[in-house]
Amino acid sequence: MRHLPLLFVLAAVGACSGGGGDTPPAVVGDPQQVNPLPIETVLRAGMIPVIAPVGAGEDGGSYNVNADTAAGAIAGAMKAIRLLLLTDVVGVLDKEGNLLPNLTVPEVKAL
């Protein structure tokens, strides 16, 4: 059995509340900036980064970040050409409820 190290990366976020360290778990922030250097370092070392979607607010507090939002911000910061999300939902649906199996950046922005 191979033991893999875990990496927890904190991305700076703008928070919905100024509660600091006492912020309830229900308060969620949106990523404002991501430092890709720790992730790139882990990848260059041949390891798989495991990232907890937690961000540091301007007030020094820790904030939950939705995992899909964090993944998108990380992919953008790393200039990824593709983002694959494994979820327990069917996927992105159009206004008629039809599954959209592939989306381009302009199509996402149009949603």
Side-chain angles (χ1 to χ4, degrees), residues 13 23-30 53-55 62-67:
V13 299
T23 303
V27 176
V28 177
D30 288 321
V54 176
S62 296
Y63 294 90
N64 181 44
V65 177
N66 290 324

Side-chain angles (χ1 to χ4, degrees), residues 48-101:
I48 299 170
V50 176
I51 303 168
V54 176
E58 291 177 1
D59 62 358
S62 296
Y63 294 90
N64 181 44
V65 177
N66 290 324
D68 53 349
T69 305
I74 292 166
M78 298 190 69
K79 300 184 181 4
I81 59 171
R82 231 175 233 113
L83 171 63
L84 302 175
L85 298 174
L86 302 177
T87 72
D88 62 349
V89 296
V90 175
V92 178
L93 306 177
D94 64 15
K95 292 178 183 175
E96 290 78 39
N98 299 312
L99 178 65
L100 302 172

Side-chain angles (χ1 to χ4, degrees), residues 20-63:
D22 296 328
T23 303
V27 176
V28 177
D30 288 321
Q32 300 299 306
Q33 123 186 27
V34 174
N35 178 3
L37 183 60
I39 301 166
E40 292 167 348
T41 301
V42 169
L43 291 171
R44 275 195 302 276
M47 295 182 283
I48 299 170
V50 176
I51 303 168
V54 176
E58 291 177 1
D59 62 358
S62 296
Y63 294 90

